[in-house]
Amino acid sequence: LGAGVSSDAGLIGQLAFEQRNFDITDWPESFQEFITGQAFKGAGQTLKMTIQPGTEVTAFSIRFVEPYLANKPISLEVLGSRWKRYRECYDEGRLKGYVEFEKRYKNHWRRTLSFRVENVEVEDVDFDAPKDIMRVKGDNFLMGVRLGAAIDLTDDRYNPSTGYRFTTSYEQVGGDHTFGILSATHRWYKTLYQDEVQRKTILATKLHGATTLGDAPVFEKFYAGGMGTIRGFDYRGVSTRAGPDKDPIGSDWIFLANAEVTVPLVGENIAGLLFIDSGAIDSGNYRASVGTGIQIMIPQWFGPVPMRFELASPIMKDDDDETQVFSFSICLLYTSPSPRD
């Protein structure tokens, strides 16, 4: 059971059930076995069901993962989800089915093959919305095939202090719209200093580039601004714009270059942040911002997601950009103890 609030997504709640030792073949032999939770256990599979109601974003999902398909280092992930978000001049809803196969290699490389079938609903469109949004009003059916590769050579999955991660992928999409999406991301981590009690000052950098090939609709294009992209700008505040209200319609390509230093302040849970974010899209000037902040990690209470409070100021921007000095993300999570088998 959880709740969170952020400057990008508003207030959101969470009710989730997760079984990490699921067995889809272990059907109950009696109704009592089903009620007491003794069935569907023992194969190391993962089943997770999540409901997330929110003020700006509402989502529901069911996810199943088989980590060793046919006893080989190949995982199978099956996901069904329903998602809705309020945009600047329309509402966007997505009903999605997703299947992914991932093969893992001893040299830490992974290859993925995934498929998606999705219906994107564009509703409640303002009468003066840009033509790019008007032309996708209603239902938009998409089918995509994606090939990807990734490597992770960091020392920790959740809190890396050295090493790097690299991912790249290409997705070909058909249906009501035909286009491709090519993307790549490189993250690099280095420990700059370690004090007497083993606390580390860490430099993290990120390079990200992506482009669409063909005529992609607005809901598949790229937007910047907000946490994770270019702080100091509003969520989706960096975008190509159109219409009388200069609404964002997305960019055909995006480039991001970020650097952040995390400095421990109090114990291992409270750290200071210093960062530089920058990037470019297919219109306007190059954007850049500098900032500082506080990160609070209390995993024994709230789970692995940190709380962040950040102040950033743009030093390079475009006249039509929407800025935001303060951004934050808070997640509170309560996990009930698992019953004994």
Side-chain angles (χ1 to χ4, degrees), residues 172-209:
Q172 183 60 49
V173 182
D176 292 336
H177 307 274
T178 302
F179 58 96
I181 303 175
L182 177 65
S183 68
T185 304
H186 185 275
R187 299 175 184 269
W188 178 74
Y189 304 88
K190 179 179 176 60
T191 298
L192 301 179
Y193 174 74
Q194 182 170 309
D195 63 18
E196 296 84 356
V197 292
Q198 309 301 312
R199 298 183 307 174
K200 297 178 179 180
T201 297
I202 300 169
L203 168 65
T205 65
K206 171 186 171 183
L207 293 174
H208 172 73

Side-chain angles (χ1 to χ4, degrees), residues 58-71:
T58 298
F60 169 78
S61 65
I62 301 177
R63 177 175 175 261
F64 169 79
V65 177
E66 166 57 72
Y68 289 94
L69 191 63
N71 293 319

Side-chain angles (χ1 to χ4, degrees), residues 7-8 85 222-239 241 254-256 258 277-281 287 289 321-324 327:
S7 52
D8 292 350
R85 174 150 194 161
F222 306 108
Y223 302 79
M227 304 181 76
T229 59
I230 311 176
R231 289 161 286 190
F233 296 83
D234 198 8
Y235 173 69
R236 288 169 46 116
V238 177
S239 171
R241 298 176 179 274
I254 190 170
F255 171 76
L256 299 173
N258 302 344
D277 291 348
S278 70
I281 59 171
R287 280 81 164 180
S289 66
D321 292 340
E322 297 176 358
T323 60
Q324 178 178 279
S327 59

Side-chain angles (χ1 to χ4, degrees), residues 91-109:
D91 296 343
E92 179 182 336
R94 292 177 180 251
L95 179 63
K96 178 179 180 179
Y98 177 84
V99 177
E100 180 182 272
F101 298 91
E102 179 185 83
K103 185 173 182 179
R104 303 178 295 277
Y105 296 88
K106 293 181 179 179
N107 60 2
H108 302 285
W109 277 97

